[in-house]
């Protein structure tokens, strides 16, 4: 069974840092691009960033560039999201998702999500 | 950035009736379009990719269509478990999601 399990969420003060982890199983992790998607309370889905299968290239957009870093350890079938300079508006459930083979694609499956709360 | 717009925001449908959800892209995404279902308290689940290819385990009452900028998700006969929020997402370049359509019981 293909499975993604996130961990590392919690309460952090504004300006603080947090590192999320995602443990993958049931598929050849090193072959797939991987991504993070977030969902603020009561809101829609927002793509955070993507990393290629070999970890050599990463993609993100302006709200996250310079603050959030996606990385991976293929030997440990793990994906990470390092979040720095956190803001109240970063409060959300963060999902780890499997992306495509060789190109970005649809997201399947999704992890159960981990809640990050940024508050003083 | 390609903007995805879903309509309506909320759709009230009686069980057993048909539901039609729309998704529009601000520029062509070919068929690089996915649909997801999110039930309350759960993670999203993939329904369709390639605009019309049903994901594993998705019932036949769900169908997806469209290409370019106009896409449709149809649920032919709504069951109780289908009342949820549905999102479209393109993957033509940096992915973006629509804002979602909530399908509620009428």
């Amino acid at each position: 069974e293909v499975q993604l399990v996130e961990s590392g969420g919690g309460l952090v003060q504004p300006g603080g840092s947090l590192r999320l982890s995602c443990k993958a199983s049931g598929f050849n992790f090193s072959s797939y691009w991987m991504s993070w998607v977030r969902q603020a309370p009561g809101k829609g889905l927002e793509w955070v960033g993507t990393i290629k299968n070999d970890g050599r290239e990463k993609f993100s957009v302006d709200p996250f560039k310079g603050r959030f870093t996606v990385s991976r350890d293929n030997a440990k079938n793990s994906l990470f999201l390092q979040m720095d300079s956190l803001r109240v508006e970063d409060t959300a459930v963060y999902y780890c998702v499997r992306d495509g083979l060789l190109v970005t694609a649809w997201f399947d499956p999704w992890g159960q999500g981990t809640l990050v709360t940024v508050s003083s | 950035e390609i903007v995805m717009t879903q309509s309506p925001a909320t759709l009230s449908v009686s069980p057993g009736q048909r539901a039609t959800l729309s998704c529009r892209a601000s520029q062509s995404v070919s068929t690089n379009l996915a649909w997801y279902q999110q039930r309350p308290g759960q993670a999203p689940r993939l329904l369709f990719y390639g605009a019309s290819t049903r994901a594993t385990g998705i019932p036949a009452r769900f169908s997806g269509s469209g290409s370019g900028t106009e896409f449709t998700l149809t649920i032919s006969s709504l069951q109780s478990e289908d009342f949820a929020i549905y999102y479209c997402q393109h993957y033509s370049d940096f992915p973006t999601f629509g804002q979602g359509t909530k399908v509620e019981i009428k």
Side-chain angles (χ1 to χ4, degrees):
Chain A
E1 178 192 6
V2 176
Q3 197 170 14
L4 300 169
V5 179
E6 302 96 334
S7 61
L11 176 64
V12 60
Q13 292 189 337
S17 297
L18 209 57
R19 189 190 195 215
L20 306 183
S21 299
C22 170
K23 179 71 172 178
S25 60
F27 66 100
N28 188 357
F29 180 75
S30 62
S31 294
Y32 283 85
W33 293 25
M34 295 293 295
S35 296
W36 289 95
V37 176
R38 75 178 186 181
Q39 186 171 37
K43 303 297 184 182
L45 302 169
E46 181 179 28
W47 172 66
V48 173
T50 294
I51 186 167
K52 283 189 173 181
N53 60 303
D54 60 6
R56 293 183 180 180
E57 202 167 353
K58 307 166 189 181
F59 309 95
S60 189
V61 288
D62 283 345
F64 309 110
K65 284 181 178 177
R67 297 195 305 125
F68 289 12
T69 302
V70 183
S71 62
R72 65 192 295 162
D73 182 341
N74 285 346
K76 295 183 178 179
N77 287 351
S78 293
L79 178 73
F80 306 101
L81 180 65
Q82 177 67 41
M83 302 186 294
D84 299 318
S85 303
L86 282 161
R87 306 165 181 166
V88 171
E89 55 266 33
D90 293 319
T91 295
V93 174
Y94 286 75
Y95 294 103
C96 167
V97 295
R98 187 177 70 174
D99 203 312
L101 283 163
L102 302 180
V103 293
T104 190
W106 54 93
F107 299 144
D108 180 54
W110 296 57
Q112 85 286 354
T114 188
L115 176 62
V116 173
T117 302
V118 185
S119 174
S120 55
Chain B
E1 173 185 315
I2 298 174
V3 177
M4 307 301 291
T5 303
Q6 292 185 240
S7 62
T10 302
L11 189 59
S12 297
V13 185
S14 300
Q17 296 301 302
R18 183 185 193 90
T20 302
L21 289 68
S22 295
C23 174
R24 174 176 293 177
S26 60
Q27 63 189 75
S28 178
V29 298
S30 184
T31 56
N32 297 317
L33 191 285
W35 288 96
Y36 303 90
Q37 176 194 65
Q38 187 175 33
R39 295 170 175 152
Q42 296 186 15
R45 157 174 95 138
L46 177 70
L47 296 177
F48 290 91
Y49 59 92
S52 61
T53 302
R54 209 176 285 115
T56 302
I58 303 305
R61 64 180 179 274
F62 290 88
S63 62
S65 64
S67 66
T69 62
E70 300 285 342
F71 301 89
T72 301
L73 172 68
T74 302
I75 312 170
S76 60
S77 176
L78 273 159
Q79 306 299 303
S80 57
E81 62 267 29
D82 302 335
F83 292 97
I85 299 175
Y86 293 84
Y87 295 95
C88 63
Q89 173 231 335
H90 87 85
Y91 46 93
S92 189
D93 55 20
F94 291 161
T96 53
F97 292 88
Q99 79 280 19
T101 291
K102 181 180 182 180
V103 177
E104 64 176 24
I105 300 175
K106 185 174 183 180

